[in-house]
Amino acid sequence: MGQHRPLCILGSGAAGYTAAIYAARANLPPLLFSGSLPGGQLTITTDVENYPGFADVIQGPWLMEQMKQQAQHVGTTIIPETIVQVDLRASPKILVGDSGETYTADAVIIATGAQAKWLGIPGEEAFMGQGVSACATCDGSFFKDVPVAVIGGGNTAVEEALYLTNHASHITLIHRRDQLRAEKILQDRLLAHPKISVLWNHGTEEILGSQVGVTGLKLRDLNTGKEKILEVEGVFVAIGHKPATDMFQEQLPKDDYGYLLHHPNSSKTDVTGVFVAGDVCDPVYRQAITAAGMGCMAALDAVHYCQSLPQKKP
Ligand code: NDP
């Protein structure tokens, strides 16, 4: 069996790095596996102006590099591997990396995050960060007094549209059906808002733009087949998120959307010694700062757990 550490952390987003900083400073220096997107979702964003502590706008990749270095300075060992197989019920817990290396741990913090789902249409990738976003709370303020669109019909889409009323001049919610999936109370607020209109039964075929960024959307009426061009400067894709939890099938309880479940007011899961933090267990808030907070909670819970284990004789 390979390397053993009291604590291993899966994931290198805000949750994983914060958990590592707190654990290392509590004399539990962890192994942190950075996974397939080292630094997590913030490394694919640009301007960040809502992470407290920075008066000026900072860059997402820079923030994550700072977190990484802070975690290393206090004693975290970062392994550039993706864990591909786990046995969380074994004692100690077993983790297998994509190099084939096996690691064991008394406690594991899972902070593997989630990824926004994308439409996969022309223009989406090209204008990412230049008008295309999957987070209104993060990017909404860059669209002051200009028209924007939100795509989707669930709670996220409706909440994004409502949030954007604080900034944009007008919001068009584009939905592929004639019925929203969002909760009734959110629907009522959406439909009553003077700055929001809904385009029902429309598919989005292309995001149009120029050197200055997004300029519009090419839409298709799914009933009549008619094409429509909608002029907008921002597009918020809100068609759901996918938490990175496939590997925990049959090992940890999940909700209907695949998010890992944890005990109330705690990062503990149903499996002793396994803790969760960040977007992998949070379908609601999904912010860097909430993920960091949950990483701190998971580290405190893991440290407490490790201290409660019988001490091994040297
Ligand atoms: P949902 O899966 O609920 O909704 C996704 C929406 O996107 C659906 O309306 C779906 O359309 C649409 N969609 C999916 N794929 C495409 C596509 N390729 N093209 C166009 N439209 C598409 O995801 P949410 O992120 O909204 O919510 C996920 C979970 O998080 C839910 O449980 C939700 O309740 C929860 N949540 C709770 C919040 C809260 O409590 N405040 C806030 C946000 C989320 P269709 O309806 O046709 O399938």
Side-chain angles (χ1 to χ4, degrees):
M1 206 56 80
Q3 227 185 120
H4 179 85
R5 278 282 168 110
L7 176 63
C8 284
I9 297 172
L10 276 58
S12 58
Y17 283 144
T18 307
I21 293 162
Y22 272 80
R25 294 194 73 254
N27 211 14
L28 202 68
L31 287 185
L32 181 146
F33 298 93
S34 51
S36 57
L37 182 64
Q41 290 186 72
L42 271 177
T43 57
I44 51 170
T45 61
T46 51
D47 293 355
V48 176
E49 57 180 14
N50 58 5
Y51 198 86
F54 302 96
D56 296 321
V57 177
I58 53 169
Q59 297 297 302
W62 176 85
L63 177 63
M64 298 320 294
E65 183 57 30
Q66 293 299 308
M67 285 195 202
K68 177 184 172 187
Q69 288 186 24
Q70 189 178 359
Q72 285 175 312
H73 289 163
V74 292
T76 305
T77 306
I78 296 177
I79 313 248
E81 271 210 73
T82 302
I83 296 298
V84 291
Q85 205 185 324
V86 292
D87 186 349
L88 298 173
R89 290 170 195 263
S91 180
K93 300 174 192 314
I94 302 168
L95 313 170
V96 183
D98 54 4
S99 68
E101 190 80 33
T102 299
Y103 306 86
T104 59
D106 301 322
V108 173
I109 293 175
I110 297 169
T112 46
Q115 283 183 328
K117 289 186 196 161
W118 297 101
L119 293 160
I121 55 172
E124 189 175 48
E125 210 178 319
F127 295 109
M128 194 78 68
Q130 285 183 279
V132 176
S133 169
C135 178
T137 321
C138 319
D139 299 327
S141 64
F142 302 124
F143 298 89
K144 273 261 171 281
D145 301 324
V146 297
V148 299
V150 174
I151 299 166
N155 274 354
T156 304
V158 173
E159 285 197 343
E160 299 267 276
L162 289 167
Y163 179 83
L164 286 163
T165 60
N166 296 315
H167 302 291
S169 58
H170 187 82
I171 300 102
T172 307
L173 185 113
I174 300 160
H175 187 34
R176 63 185 179 182
R177 292 189 298 133
D178 62 357
Q179 241 184 348
L180 296 168
R181 190 180 284 277
E183 288 163 16
K184 179 79 172 62
I185 185 165
L186 287 174
Q187 294 196 28
D188 290 347
R189 272 184 224 152
L190 178 98
L191 298 173
H193 204 290
K195 271 181 148 185
I196 301 177
S197 53
V198 181
L199 211 45
W200 304 103
N201 301 306
H202 274 74
T204 309
E205 296 192 336
E206 187 175 348
I207 297 175
L208 310 169
S210 67
Q211 278 164 338
V212 295
V214 168
T215 55
L217 292 174
K218 188 165 121 190
L219 307 172
R220 180 84 51 198
D221 185 320
L222 299 173
N223 289 337
T224 64
K226 215 171 143 209
E227 186 183 297
K228 178 181 172 75
I229 302 291
L230 181 73
E231 287 183 11
V232 289
E233 293 187 24
V235 184
F236 290 83
V237 178
I239 61 170
H241 283 74
K242 187 178 181 323
T245 58
D246 289 351
M247 189 174 39
F248 311 113
Q249 207 64 32
E250 321 261 304
Q251 302 212 26
L252 291 172
K254 302 179 190 178
D255 72 9
D256 293 345
Y257 292 85
Y259 290 89
L260 297 179
L261 295 173
H262 56 90
H263 298 178
N265 299 321
S266 161
S267 68
K268 288 180 193 166
T269 65
D270 279 357
V271 179
T272 314
V274 179
F275 307 90
V276 291
D279 289 12
V280 75
C281 60
D282 173 18
V284 179
Y285 301 104
R286 294 196 288 247
Q287 301 300 304
I289 188 65
T290 51
M294 292 164 86
C296 164
M297 290 164 63
L300 298 179
D301 288 340
V303 168
H304 192 249
Y305 170 76
C306 287
Q307 284 169 346
S308 73
L309 295 175
Q311 296 301 308
K312 291 192 183 86
K313 293 214 171 74

